[in-house]
């Protein structure tokens, strides 16, 4: 009973930290509200800023990708109860993100600046990106992705079910709408500085590499179902003109 309560508490703390880091990310990337953002904070010379920022983003990429691999999950299962695994991933990802926000060095040189209608259009696409990313987590399984479903199952003494494969709504248009949302949020800005550009470029490269690993794991887990899905649905860029579907979509 006590351990089940602690697992639930741990999942709630991790989820709260994720929520805070996600909300901070909105302010960080868009330069809204928060005290320290992508273009506001400790001044540094450009070379120091590039090195520190790349190290911070690499730390996030390594933590986020290594911990997501099945081999790491099997190894960590010897140390962590299954119900705690996803929460630990979420907790560490959130902590690394908060470290990035805290230690980020801005590079303020302006690359492009817009105003009027173009600026509003870019701001709208930026917010649409965040909305797509957040809504898409609910389309596959938000509470499973962030570890709460596993902790609630443990609390109830129920079996923790494995990940299920889903393709609802936006997943019928692209295979990775969460990542598409992030890319829109990172690139669509009325004022692009060198620091923001470094952030957008490095994260785009990371997303493109990380998706190769994620898809390899999805093929290993769901086999022909994912291969068929891959043939029918584009990775990140929606098809402008629909192609006739020849196979029935997995649900
Ligand atoms: C952060 S989510 C990103 C999902 C997807 N790459 C996207 O951008 O929308 C990563 C997790 O989603 C899972 N996932 C990816 N596509 C999925 C799908 N169609 N159905 C269920 N889970 C999926 C992956 O196995 C991984 O555990």
């Amino acid at each position: 009973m006590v351990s089940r309560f602690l697992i639930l508490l741990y999942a709630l703390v991790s989820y709260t930290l994720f929520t805070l880091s996600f909300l901070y990310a909105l302010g960080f990337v868009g330069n809204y509200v928060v005290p320290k953002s992508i273009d506001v904070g400790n001044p540094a010379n450009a070379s120091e800023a590039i090195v520190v920022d790349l190290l911070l983003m690499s730390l996030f990429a390594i933590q986020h990708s290594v911990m997501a691999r099945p081999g790491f999950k099997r190894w960590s299962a010897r140390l962590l109860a299954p119900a705690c695994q996803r929460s630990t991933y979420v907790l560490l990802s959130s902590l690394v993100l908060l470290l990035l926000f805290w230690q980020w060095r801005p590079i303020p040189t302006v690359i492009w600046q817009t105003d009027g209608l173009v600026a509003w259009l870019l701001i709208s696409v930026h917010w649409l990106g965040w909305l797509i990313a957040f809504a898409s987590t609910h389309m596959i399984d938000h509470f499973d992705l962030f570890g709460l479903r596993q902790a609630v199952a443990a609390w109830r003494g129920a079996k923790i079910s494995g990940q299920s494969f889903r393709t609802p709504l936006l997943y019928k248009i692209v295979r990775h709408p969460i990542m598409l949302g992030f890319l829109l949020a990172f690139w669509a800005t009325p004022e692009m500085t060198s620091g923001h550009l470094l952030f957008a470029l490095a994260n785009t490269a990371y997303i493109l590499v990380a998706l190769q690993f994620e898809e390899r794991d999805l093929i290993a887990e769901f086999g022909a179902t994912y291969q068929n899905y891959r043939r029918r649905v584009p990775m990140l860029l929606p098809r402008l003109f629909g192609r006739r579907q020849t196979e029935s979509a997995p649900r």
Side-chain angles (χ1 to χ4, degrees):
M1 179 74 181
V2 173
S3 68
R4 282 194 276 163
F5 174 73
L6 288 177
I7 288 173
L8 195 57
L9 188 65
Y10 181 61
L12 284 170
V13 169
S14 303
Y15 187 77
T16 306
L17 210 66
F18 149 73
T19 307
L20 291 176
S21 57
F22 182 76
L23 289 176
Y24 200 98
L26 303 183
F28 180 82
V29 179
N31 294 300
Y32 306 110
V33 186
V34 298
K36 191 166 181 309
S37 67
I38 202 159
D39 295 323
V40 177
N42 313 336
N45 68 52
S47 42
E48 181 196 323
I50 291 171
V51 171
V52 173
D53 294 347
L54 285 176
L55 281 175
L56 290 165
M57 289 187 285
S58 307
L59 183 67
F60 179 78
I62 292 168
Q63 176 274 328
H64 213 66
S65 284
V66 170
M67 284 188 76
R69 299 286 69 78
F72 184 90
K73 289 181 193 167
R74 278 193 297 277
W75 173 79
S76 65
R78 289 186 275 169
L79 311 169
L80 285 169
C84 293
Q85 283 199 0
R86 193 72 194 180
S87 295
T88 304
Y89 179 70
V90 170
L91 181 72
L92 290 178
S93 305
S94 307
L95 288 174
V96 176
L97 259 189
L98 291 173
L99 174 73
L100 184 150
F101 299 150
W102 175 38
Q103 285 302 320
W104 179 262
R105 309 285 199 268
I107 313 173
T109 323
V110 174
I111 307 284
W112 76 66
Q113 191 158 34
T114 57
D115 51 24
L117 189 63
V118 177
W120 277 109
L121 204 66
L122 287 168
I123 292 170
S124 308
V125 173
H126 168 85
W127 282 105
L128 180 69
W130 287 123
L131 185 68
I132 289 175
F134 185 70
S136 302
T137 65
H138 285 275
M139 291 173 202
I140 42 178
D141 192 337
H142 178 84
F143 295 109
D144 186 88
L145 275 180
F146 295 101
L148 279 180
R149 187 177 299 289
Q150 297 84 332
V152 170
W155 170 256
R156 291 190 176 139
K159 194 169 166 289
I160 298 170
S161 53
Q163 180 189 20
S164 57
F165 176 60
R166 297 173 187 187
T167 61
L169 304 170
L170 292 180
Y171 283 83
K172 289 194 179 11
I173 299 172
V174 288
R175 301 198 296 275
H176 302 287
I178 299 179
M179 297 304 137
L180 172 62
F182 285 147
L183 291 175
L184 294 177
F186 296 164
W187 282 98
T189 173
E191 184 182 288
M192 180 63 91
T193 60
S194 300
H196 193 144
L197 185 65
L198 179 70
F199 181 87
L201 279 172
N203 279 302
T204 302
Y206 167 61
I207 286 172
L208 293 176
V209 173
L211 288 181
Q212 306 303 316
F213 288 102
E214 183 178 310
E215 293 214 324
R216 200 185 59 183
D217 295 344
L218 285 162
I219 290 169
E221 193 163 353
F222 300 107
T225 309
Y226 198 82
Q227 299 269 30
N228 289 337
Y229 177 55
R230 222 176 164 198
R231 277 192 282 275
R232 280 185 293 104
V233 177
M235 189 176 190
L236 285 166
L237 299 177
R239 286 198 182 98
L240 288 182
F241 302 100
R243 209 174 61 172
R244 207 160 66 86
Q245 302 209 345
T246 49
E247 288 161 288
S248 61
R251 291 164 57 76

